[in-house]
Amino acid sequence: MRKPLCMAAILTALSLILSACDSLLPQVSSQNRIRSEKQVLNLTVSEEPATLDSAVAVDPNSVNLLNNVMEGLMRLGKDSKPEPAIAQQVEVSADKRVYTFHLREARWSDGEPVRADDFAYAWKRVLHPQIRSRSAYLFFPIQGAQDYHRGRIGWKQVGIRVVDEQTLRVTLTRPIPYFLELTTTSAYLPQRADIVKRLGKSYGKNTAEMVYDGPFRISGWEQGKSIILTRNEQYWDKGEVFLETVRTAVVRDTAEGIQLYHTYQTDTARVDQVYADLYKKSPDWKEQPTASVQFLQFNLQKPLFRNPYIRKAFSYAIDREALTDHLLNDGSMPAGSVIPPSIFPFNERSGEIAEKRPEIHRFDPRQAQAWLKKGMDDLHLERFPEEVVMTVPDTDKQVALFLQNQFRRNLGVEVKIDPKPLRRYPQQLDRGEFDIAINEWRSGYRDPGGVLVAFSSEGPCNPGKWSAPEYDRWLKQAASTADEEKRIGFYLQAEKKLLEDAPISPLDFQSEAFIQRKWVKNVVRHPFGADLTLKEAFIEGKSENK
């Protein structure tokens, strides 16, 4: 919020008041109307957050909740770029390897001060080998972090130093241009050691005894039904938090969310392919492109899918345009590559480079059949195995049926579908209990590496156990290259290698479709990292429009 700018405009000229205040969030001219409205926002969520332990939280609903009840050194602003949060100032050394964060006077919801130790303690938990956090890779640019995670060195050798209560110093192995973006992710949030130790295994689940340093705190959670947030009166920037209450209903499916929307019990609801045509022409319809790619994952531990021609056959048999335009129908785009368009371009030149990359995975049934014959000949198979199973999250049954039909029609092979609960789905894939699986990855920050790192040899989304030394090398070279054109070049080399080897088959670049009441203002949605920020959201005009 920039109220002082409006005050300056008053002193300058009446015309500047009108133009400047019109663009501010929220509008100063509307302050009295905002205060007169009941500041309650009603939302829905399709799956309950798995945990509020930021060291291990990776599911979207947990990340979203953490983004609004917690705050790190930096946070994503309205333009999805890093802006100061608990850190009021950042000093960067001349060689761009050392970041010194100066913390503001901020407090937890129980009144205790937020200290540099809270960050160091939380980050150590993410990296500790016994925690086995899927987010540990986000800290690997820090000196010694990867070796500590592997149990090779002690904590004192890691480049994280608490200078004093209000100062934290981080030393990187090499300069990376997106380090501040990393600090906006949920893994970089602080934690109180006394609370974690007292709650033990219930930390992240016993929300009534947790403490929060973000705009809101959790004041109620009825399992399987609803989550209630209220404004955190201890938050350092509480003057910019307008909502008094956020009520989130846990819905069983899209239909229930739509029903709540029509009965004015929620202000926003997700829309899937069943309802898309009904709402696309409505002024309530919204689309948010994301830095997410959905893909088919092959298990290279299984002899059949260790063969690259079999994998390519499955990939070339998929009509991605039919998937996005006729089934999903939510703004998602066909994916013949891996890096989402929402990450490009950084500037005009990088955009030109990205546009020239070939889409190696395309719909070509004739080529798919040729790849299948080649693969079966290599494996000395006269018939394609009948026991191949496609493991899918139970939220993606329609996509699974679409793919099953594509493989039947374009390859002449039968694949069985095995739906699994979404909450336990990642763990099943990590155990290697699949032949092929529907999976997705959302970048936590705006850089191609945020997607490509997922598929590296030790990446967080590589349950199929694909490994290519040159791929890993190009990612490391890109991460340490300051020249943007060279950096993008390394990333595109890596992407090409991933697509040629085909351990995955990209399906679509995902978009989120939803409907939202016009009285909901300033809910900021992000293409990467957490989905939404509610810090400056407010309700205006509901009493007049309902």
Side-chain angles (χ1 to χ4, degrees), residues 329-511:
N329 199 20
D330 59 1
S332 296
M333 299 171 56
S337 52
V338 178
I339 303 173
S342 58
I343 286 181
F344 282 120
F346 299 118
N347 56 36
E348 186 175 343
R349 179 57 182 150
S350 67
E352 291 175 358
I353 295 172
E355 287 177 0
K356 294 179 180 177
R357 56 187 173 146
E359 290 196 344
I360 295 176
H361 288 246
R362 63 184 185 275
F363 178 50
D364 189 337
R366 184 172 297 179
Q367 182 62 65
Q369 292 170 11
W371 287 135
L372 184 66
K373 184 178 185 308
K374 170 66 173 169
M376 291 177 64
D377 288 346
D378 287 353
L379 295 171
H380 306 291
L381 294 176
E382 293 184 4
R383 291 184 178 181
F384 193 82
E386 297 180 358
E387 64 273 12
V388 173
V389 176
M390 178 167 52
T391 306
V392 304
D394 53 12
T395 53
D396 280 332
K397 292 178 183 177
Q398 293 301 315
V399 175
L401 289 169
F402 172 85
L403 293 174
Q404 183 187 54
N405 184 58
Q406 293 281 293
F407 301 145
R408 179 186 298 126
R409 178 191 301 173
N410 300 319
L411 287 180
V413 303
E414 288 294 330
V415 172
K416 298 177 182 178
I417 297 173
D418 182 22
K420 299 293 182 182
L422 180 62
R423 179 173 288 194
R424 296 191 294 272
Y425 191 67
Q427 290 74 21
Q428 175 161 348
L429 297 193
D430 286 344
R431 293 192 298 268
E433 298 173 0
F434 69 100
D435 296 326
I436 56 180
I438 294 177
N439 208 347
E440 67 178 80
W441 183 257
R442 178 183 175 115
S443 179
Y445 51 97
R446 186 176 183 175
D447 189 85
V451 174
L452 296 177
V453 70
F455 310 107
S456 60
S457 297
E458 298 183 13
C461 195
N462 189 15
K465 304 302 180 184
W466 174 70
S467 181
E470 60 268 49
Y471 182 85
D472 297 342
R473 185 177 65 253
W474 285 324
L475 292 187
K476 289 180 179 178
Q477 288 175 314
S480 59
T481 301
D483 184 286
E484 184 172 303
E485 190 167 330
K486 290 182 179 178
R487 188 159 64 94
I488 298 302
F490 285 130
Y491 280 140
L492 295 184
Q493 280 183 284
E495 182 187 47
K496 184 179 179 182
K497 175 64 176 175
L498 177 67
L499 295 171
E500 288 177 342
D501 280 15
I504 65 169
S505 170
L507 298 174
D508 62 284
F509 296 123
Q510 296 189 305
S511 178

Side-chain angles (χ1 to χ4, degrees), residues 63-81:
V63 171
N64 279 333
L65 187 52
L66 283 166
N67 185 55
N68 291 290
V69 299
M70 298 290 289
E71 189 161 89
L73 297 170
M74 310 289 286
R75 68 181 301 130
L76 290 179
K78 291 181 284 291
D79 57 0
S80 293
K81 293 181 180 178

Side-chain angles (χ1 to χ4, degrees), residues 165 198 223:
E165 285 193 354
R198 176 161 59 84
Q223 293 293 322

Side-chain angles (χ1 to χ4, degrees), residues 24 49 107 114 116 140 169 190 195 207 228 244 263 330 377 381 383 397 437 447 479 484 499 515:
L24 297 181
R107 294 189 177 277
V114 179
F140 288 172
R169 182 166 294 144
I195 304 295
T207 56
I228 299 177
E244 298 168 357
T263 54
D330 59 1
D377 288 346
L381 294 176
R383 291 184 178 181
K397 292 178 183 177
D447 189 85
E484 184 172 303
L499 295 171
I515 45 179

